[in-house]
C-alpha cells in the first residue's frame, strides 16, 4: 500500500495533537501547559487545512492560537510565578479521573468504529470567501444573519463585562 | 479530494482522545487557568467533529462549518470574561487555586 503525503501529514498532525493534549493536562508547570495548548491548536488548524476548510483554519490560527492563547499567557504572567510547580495531585483523584476519562474514550471510540456512517451522494459545494460571506449575511434559507447578529451582541456584552469585572475598584 | 486516503474515523478518534484529555484535566486540575485551558481543549475537539461531519457526510451544506465558527466566537467571549473573573479573584484572595476560593459559597 502506498503512503501518500496527506497520510503522512495527517499522522504528523494527529501525533502532535494526541501527545501535546495529554501533556497540556498533565504537566506541572503552567506556562508549559499554555505552550503545549498552543501547539495543539496550531496542529488543529493543520487538520482544518487538510479538510479543505481554509477559512476555518485561518480563523483558528488568528482567534485561538493568536488571541485566546495570548490572553491565557498574559493572565498566567499576572497571576502566578513562572517557575512555580503545581503540587502533585493525590493518587486517588488521579486514578479515578483517569479511569473515567479512559472509560469514556474507549466507549466513544468503539461506538464510532462500529457505526456505519452514510454520506450524501450530492455534489460537494465549493466553499470560498464569497459563499461564506453571502450565507453569513443572508436571511433566506441556509442564511445565518440571526446568529451572526446575536453573536455580535454577545461579543459586545462580553467585552463590556470583562472590562467592568477586571476594573480596579476605586478606594473611598 | 484533499482528504483522500484518510478515513473519517481517524479524525473522529483523534478528536475523541483530545476531548477526554480535556475532561481529565478538568477533573484533576486545581488552578483556574488550567481548568480554562481544559475547557478550550474540549471546545476545540467538538469543532473538529463538526467540521469532519460536514466535510465527509454533508459536503453539499455548510451547517457544521458555521456552527464551529460560532463556537470559536463564543469560546473567545467566554475566555475573555473568565480571565477577567480570574484576575479579580486573584486580587481578592491572592491565589487562583480552587480550594482557596470558597468564600462565595456561603
Amino acid at each position: 500500500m502506498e503512503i501518500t503525503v496527506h497520510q503522512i501529514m495527517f499522522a504528523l498532525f494527529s501525533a502532535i495533537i494526541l501527545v501535546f493534549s495529554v501533556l497540556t493536562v498533565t504537566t506541572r508547570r503552567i506556562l508549559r501547559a499554555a505552550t503545549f495548548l498552543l501547539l495543539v491548536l496550531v496542529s488543529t488548524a493543520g487538520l482544518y487545512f487538510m479538510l479543505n476548510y481554509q477559512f476555518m483554519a485561518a480563523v483558528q490560527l488568528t482567534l485561538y492560537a493568536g488571541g485566546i492563547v495570548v490572553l491565557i499567557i498574559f493572565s498566567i504572567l499576572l497571576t502566578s510565578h513562572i517557575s512555580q510547580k503545581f503540587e502533585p495531585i493525590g493518587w486517588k483523584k488521579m486514578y479515578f479521573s483517569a479511569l473515567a476519562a479512559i472509560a469514556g474514550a474507549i466507549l466513544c471510540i468503539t461506538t464510532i468504529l462500529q457505526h456505519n456512517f452514510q454520506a450524501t451522494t450530492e455534489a460537494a459545494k465549493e466553499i470560498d470567501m464569497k459563499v461564506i460571506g453571502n450565507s453569513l449575511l443572508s436571511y433566506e434559507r441556509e442564511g445565518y444573519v440571526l446568529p451572526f447578529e446575536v453573536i455580535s451582541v454577545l461579543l459586545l456584552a462580553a467585552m463590556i463585562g470583562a472590562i467592568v469585572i477586571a476594573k480596579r475598584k476605586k478606594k473611598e | 479530494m484533499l482528504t483522500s486516503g484518510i478515513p473519517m474515523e481517524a479524525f473522529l478518534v483523534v478528536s475523541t482522545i483530545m476531548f477526554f484529555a480535556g475532561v481529565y484535566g478538568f477533573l484533576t486540575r486545581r488552578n483556574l487557568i488550567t481548568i480554562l485551558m481544559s475547557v478550550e481543549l474540549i471546545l476545540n475537539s467538538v469543532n473538529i467533529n463538526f467540521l469532519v461531519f460536514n466535510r465527509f457526510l454533508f459536503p453539499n451544506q455548510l451547517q457544521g462549518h458555521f456552527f464551529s465558527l460560532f463556537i470559536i466566537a463564543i469560546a473567545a467571549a467566554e475566555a475573555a470574561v473568565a480571565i477577567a473573573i480570574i484576575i479579580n479573584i486573584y486580587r481578592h484572595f491572592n491565589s487562583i487555586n480552587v480550594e482557596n476560593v470558597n468564600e462565595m459559597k456561603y
Side-chain angles (χ1 to χ4, degrees), chain B residues 36-94:
Chain B
L36 184 69
M37 278 155 58
S38 309
V39 174
E40 300 293 343
L41 270 184
I42 292 175
L43 287 173
N44 204 45
S45 74
V46 173
N47 262 347
I48 297 179
N49 263 11
F50 270 116
L51 286 178
V52 166
F53 281 122
N54 197 167
R55 167 57 74 200
F56 281 87
L57 298 188
F58 303 99
N60 55 333
Q61 293 169 354
L62 275 176
Q63 270 97 341
H65 184 273
F66 281 108
F67 215 106
S68 49
L69 196 63
F70 291 126
I71 290 177
I72 288 182
I74 289 177
E78 168 244 322
V81 175
I83 283 173
I85 292 174
I86 288 171
I87 289 176
N88 213 4
I89 286 174
Y90 182 73
R91 281 208 199 111
H92 275 272
F93 299 98
N94 251 324

Side-chain angles (χ1 to χ4, degrees), chain A residues 12-22 39-41 43-45 47, chain B residues 14-15 18 41 44 48:
Chain A
L12 188 72
F13 285 136
S14 48
I16 292 175
I17 286 179
L18 295 184
V19 170
F20 286 108
S21 60
V22 172
L39 284 172
V40 170
L41 297 176
S43 38
T44 308
L47 283 190
Chain B
V14 169
S15 80
M18 195 169 157
L41 270 184
N44 204 45
I48 297 179

Side-chain angles (χ1 to χ4, degrees), chain A residues 10-41:
Chain A
F10 176 76
L12 188 72
F13 285 136
S14 48
I16 292 175
I17 286 179
L18 295 184
V19 170
F20 286 108
S21 60
V22 172
L23 277 179
T24 304
V25 295
T26 51
T27 182
R28 282 169 58 199
R29 290 178 189 268
I30 186 166
L31 206 58
R32 281 188 196 169
T35 315
F36 295 150
L37 182 71
L38 176 66
L39 284 172
V40 170
L41 297 176

Side-chain angles (χ1 to χ4, degrees), chain A residues 76-113:
Chain A
I76 287 171
L77 296 180
L78 280 175
T79 54
S80 38
H81 296 285
I82 301 173
S83 55
Q84 177 201 349
K85 278 177 100 173
F86 296 134
E87 297 160 22
I89 40 180
W91 67 270
K92 207 172 180 181
K93 177 173 222 171
M94 197 168 84
Y95 181 76
F96 282 114
S97 307
L99 194 72
I102 291 172
I106 288 172
L107 187 71
C108 285
I109 288 173
T110 47
T111 313
I112 286 168
L113 292 182

Side-chain angles (χ1 to χ4, degrees), chain A residues 95-167:
Chain A
Y95 181 76
F96 282 114
S97 307
L99 194 72
I102 291 172
I106 288 172
L107 187 71
C108 285
I109 288 173
T110 47
T111 313
I112 286 168
L113 292 182
Q114 277 174 3
H115 190 264
N116 185 21
F117 292 102
Q118 298 287 337
T120 60
T121 50
E122 286 182 51
K125 201 174 186 174
E126 189 64 36
I127 300 172
D128 54 2
M129 272 316 294
K130 207 172 174 184
V131 175
I132 292 170
N134 275 337
S135 51
L136 206 54
L137 284 181
S138 132
Y139 47 82
E140 281 153 20
R141 199 176 136 73
E142 300 197 0
Y144 296 89
V145 71
L146 180 65
F148 182 79
E149 293 297 329
V150 169
I151 212 139
S152 57
V153 174
L154 175 79
L155 283 173
L156 180 69
M159 194 171 73
I160 296 172
I163 292 171
V164 169
I165 291 169
K167 200 176 65 177

